[in-house]
Amino acid sequence: MDWLSIINAGINGTVLGLLLALPALAVTLVFGIARFPNVATGDYMTLGAYVAVAAQTFGGLSLAASGLFASLTVGVVSLFFYFWVFRALAKRPLVSRLIASIGVAFAVRSTITFFAGHHQYNIEAPLVRAWNFNGIRILPTDAYIAVTAIVALTLVFMLMRFTPMGRRMRAVADNPELASASGINARRVMVLLWAIVGIFCGLGGFLLGVKAVVIPELGFELLLTIFAAVILGGIGTPIGAVVGILVFGISQEIGSLYVGPAYKIVMAFLVLLCVLLLRPQGIFGRIQAAR
Amino acid sequence: MSQTINTGRRQFTLASAAAGVASVLPFWARAQAGTPKGEPIKIGVLTSMTGTGGVYGPGMLQAMRLAVDEVNAAGGASGRALQLFNEDDQTRPDAAVLAARKLVDISKVDVIAGVWSSSVALAILPITNGAGIMMLNTSGSPDLKTEDKLDLVWQYQAANDVFGKAFAQIARQRGFKNPAVMAFNNSTFVGQANYFRKAWEEGGGKVAAYVIYEPNQTTYRTELGRVLASKPDVIALSSYTPDATIILKEWYQNGQPCKFIMPGWSANENLIKALGTEATEGIIAVSNVAATDHPTFKHFDTAFRKLTGREPDVFAAECYDMIISYALAVEAAGPNADLKTINTKMRTVTNAPGTKVTGFSQGRDLLRKGEKIDYDGASSTLEFGAAGDAVPDFGVFEILGGKLVAKEVISGTI
């Protein structure tokens, strides 16, 4: 296999990984703070893509504006489901929140298909030729997607690391009882969490819609990949989620060069298996004592 | 995992079923009044009113109503009126199985017609075979030919092995030298890709690259890169519209010149809308086309336009032929024939040799005189092969300036 194909596959995997890092981060944050695997993540992404299509079709918004609008709308929807569903189940066992999130996923997707039907839509974006550096091809769309994802990820990491609100989030994630005993308002942390989750899923769905096509199964189909990547990186660690999905994306694309496209997903899970054999807690995960 | 209950769709199904029953009632009532005697023949119609096939389903149902109307007005088949029972399969095998069970167990139909999707046809095959009834479909999976052990399946649309051969022939006719193949991983498209490769290699020459890709991916750049690295001058792309959209988007951005041959049910208006005129320019789309020069088609076309105000597509023409050919087989089998005898008469009334007929009453009169007939349909000449498959002609289209432009027609007998 020549090195050009490997580099091109690597670039492709990186772009895919950066894009999916947005929902992966949302999954890991919910798992770390609200403590359940949020199955609705995929369908929040789908919603983002459809909102962007609607904003372009009915509102005549530009590409960037429709992306912003989609992110914010999904943020609001995410808050709505927090207040309506997940807040009431906060003290219940993990399974009840997990099942509820499956319900939310179905509700979101069925609402979309009720209004938009099952056929495909497209987010209008200009089709431009790739930049060609001696055979290394970079698609401009991919470059914009990667930059947008990096900016969004950086913002959230700065928020988590350098602001008082971020410190509170980490405190709640670490130990909710201790956090509330030391006067941290857990409600406010939750509102911020679900807003970030919605915005990130909306943005991820929008970028995905620009790259691929907008269909009702858009986000849901990626859920397995995202969950696997989160486990790979170490559940509940934000940086782990990003690294995990990048490893996953790159190994999937480069692997497909060697074993054929039919086995690319198998390759990605093989990498997952190998990493977990060496580090069962994930790349960045900490071993926690069970309470 | 889309097991959701969609009220809108349910209501729509109910409404269309009700409409179906209502439209049949007058003929049935007429049957009671006197003209056709004997017990009515129950035809189960399992069309896709919603889902991917929803674009074609309503027209297919209308065409069957039209044909039923004609047969009943002529006094029925073997003096028995035809009665339609309509169900929506939602273009989904799970929904189709429930609907087929209802048609077979509750409505006790004598035949199931109008099946569009291959996955639906394969899913309900055990039900129709179990009940010993015929299934008339417009599906294209080559597996239907081998799975049809009882010879009860009748295919009015070309199977994808023939499509693959047609792709190869078109590629050769247009002077392409180095074709590559890319196909979605399911039985229909892999069948199409395999037969393309086989036909191309039999005609001399090699396939530059052969890539089967996994469904539901966000990007196909690496797969496409593999194909493009072999520098093909044409790619036979066996895809559905969504994945074709992603692949063509990435191909166009990549910038390497190449042509595409695609099945017509994927290279459609939706694809052009999604990609724009520049990226779709010159794509070759291949579809089955109705037999527009047959008198049967001209008659059907006029009647269909009068009924619906729309132009009939090839699937509607195939459905019209289903009812007429079935009615002729019933006529040939006689008034008290069982389902098995009717089934054996399908080839008798449609295949050569015989006096060519173009409509039900003409065929019936000749049958009563004891003559051998050969029904030439609105969709094709209806020459059923050993596996019960008829092959309509192929229309070759090119996308030029954002429009599908009809080019040559290739005979179905390739």
Side-chain angles (χ1 to χ4, degrees), chain B residues 201-226:
Chain B
E201 283 171 355
E202 276 168 6
K206 282 188 75 171
V207 169
Y210 178 87
V211 169
I212 305 293
Y213 61 83
E214 284 302 290
N216 306 321
Q217 301 292 304
T218 317
T219 164
Y220 294 101
R221 249 191 95 186
T222 310
E223 290 86 339
L224 185 68
R226 254 172 106 113

Side-chain angles (χ1 to χ4, degrees), chain A residues 175-248:
Chain A
N175 188 335
E177 289 84 17
L178 192 62
S180 70
S182 46
I184 290 173
N185 183 345
R187 176 69 49 80
R188 219 182 282 165
V189 168
M190 286 298 181
V191 168
L192 181 68
L193 165 75
W194 286 103
I196 292 176
V197 164
I199 289 170
F200 265 46
C201 291
L203 184 62
F206 163 72
L207 294 177
L208 204 58
V210 171
K211 194 168 165 56
V213 283
V214 183
I215 50 174
E217 292 79 24
L218 176 85
F220 187 78
E221 297 283 359
L222 291 164
L223 209 56
L224 187 64
T225 315
I226 294 170
F227 273 34
V230 168
I231 293 169
L232 177 66
I235 303 168
T237 52
I239 189 79
V242 176
V243 173
I245 194 90
L246 277 170
V247 170
F248 213 85

Side-chain angles (χ1 to χ4, degrees), chain A residues 12 106 110 118 120 122 127-130 137 139 141-142 208 210 212-213 220-221 253 256-257 261 264-265, chain B residues 1 4 8-9 211-212 214 216-219 221-223 226 241-242 245-246 249 252-255 274-275:
Chain A
N12 198 27
F106 279 143
S110 301
H118 285 274
Q120 71 173 46
N122 247 67
L127 273 185
V128 267
R129 303 279 193 189
R137 288 197 164 88
L139 307 185
T141 327
D142 280 359
L208 204 58
V210 171
V213 283
F220 187 78
E221 297 283 359
E253 292 304 316
S256 79
L257 289 175
K264 72 195 254 186
I265 301 163
Chain B
M1 284 291 288
T4 50
R9 185 191 282 168
V211 169
I212 305 293
E214 284 302 290
N216 306 321
Q217 301 292 304
T218 317
T219 164
R221 249 191 95 186
T222 310
E223 290 86 339
R226 254 172 106 113
T241 313
T245 308
I246 300 175
K249 216 189 242 183
Y252 179 79
Q253 291 181 309
N254 181 295
L275 291 166

Side-chain angles (χ1 to χ4, degrees), chain A residues 100-116:
Chain A
S101 75
I102 297 175
V104 169
F106 279 143
V108 170
R109 197 171 347 141
S110 301
T111 311
I112 292 171
T113 53
F114 183 81
F115 289 106

Side-chain angles (χ1 to χ4, degrees), chain B residues 79-294:
Chain B
R80 298 166 69 184
L82 306 184
Q83 197 177 349
L84 289 185
F85 292 82
N86 180 32
E87 288 289 330
D88 176 18
D89 67 18
Q90 303 174 20
T91 330
R92 278 176 24 192
D94 51 343
V97 165
L98 291 178
R101 281 251 80 96
K102 186 177 166 200
L103 288 172
V104 169
D105 296 340
I106 298 169
S107 310
K108 305 228 183 296
V109 296
D110 300 308
V111 56
I112 288 185
V115 176
W116 181 77
S117 141
S118 294
S119 53
V120 165
L122 287 166
I124 69 163
L125 184 60
I127 299 175
T128 52
N129 269 356
I133 64 171
M134 292 156 67
M135 187 221 301
L136 318 180
N137 66 54
T138 68
S139 315
S141 168
D143 294 345
L144 278 171
K145 292 189 184 177
T146 47
E147 291 304 310
D148 174 27
K149 305 269 195 288
L150 306 177
D151 195 28
L152 288 170
V153 178
W154 300 90
Q155 291 180 270
Y156 288 72
Q157 165 96 351
N160 278 294
D161 49 350
V162 193
F163 257 97
K165 282 183 211 159
F167 278 18
Q169 187 174 334
I170 291 159
R172 214 178 285 284
Q173 275 175 359
R174 306 228 157 180
F176 292 115
K177 298 270 180 271
N178 195 30
V181 181
M182 251 185 116
F184 184 96
N185 196 358
N186 73 3
S187 92
T188 300
F189 285 128
V190 171
Q192 201 176 76
N194 280 338
Y195 277 93
F196 174 86
R197 179 162 66 176
K198 199 163 155 244
W200 184 266
E201 283 171 355
E202 276 168 6
K206 282 188 75 171
V207 169
Y210 178 87
V211 169
I212 305 293
Y213 61 83
E214 284 302 290
N216 306 321
Q217 301 292 304
T218 317
T219 164
Y220 294 101
R221 249 191 95 186
T222 310
E223 290 86 339
L224 185 68
R226 254 172 106 113
V227 173
L228 289 176
S230 66
K231 303 228 169 358
D233 49 9
V234 67
I235 297 177
L237 183 61
S238 299
S239 305
Y240 290 113
T241 313
D243 34 299
T245 308
I246 300 175
I247 290 171
L248 288 168
K249 216 189 242 183
E250 290 176 330
W251 162 76
Y252 179 79
Q253 291 181 309
N254 181 295
Q256 184 172 327
C258 177
K259 293 276 182 193
F260 287 87
I261 299 183
M262 295 174 62
W265 65 87
S266 302
N268 52 22
E269 278 77 14
N270 280 338
L271 188 81
I272 299 170
K273 212 176 112 210
L275 291 166
T277 52
E278 217 178 316
T280 52
E281 187 73 12
I283 290 177
I284 301 161
V286 185
S287 324
N288 269 151
V289 285
T292 44
D293 52 343
H294 284 187

Side-chain angles (χ1 to χ4, degrees), chain A residues 46-58:
Chain A
T46 313
L47 180 66
Y50 274 91
V51 170
V53 170
Q56 279 194 330
T57 319
F58 302 115

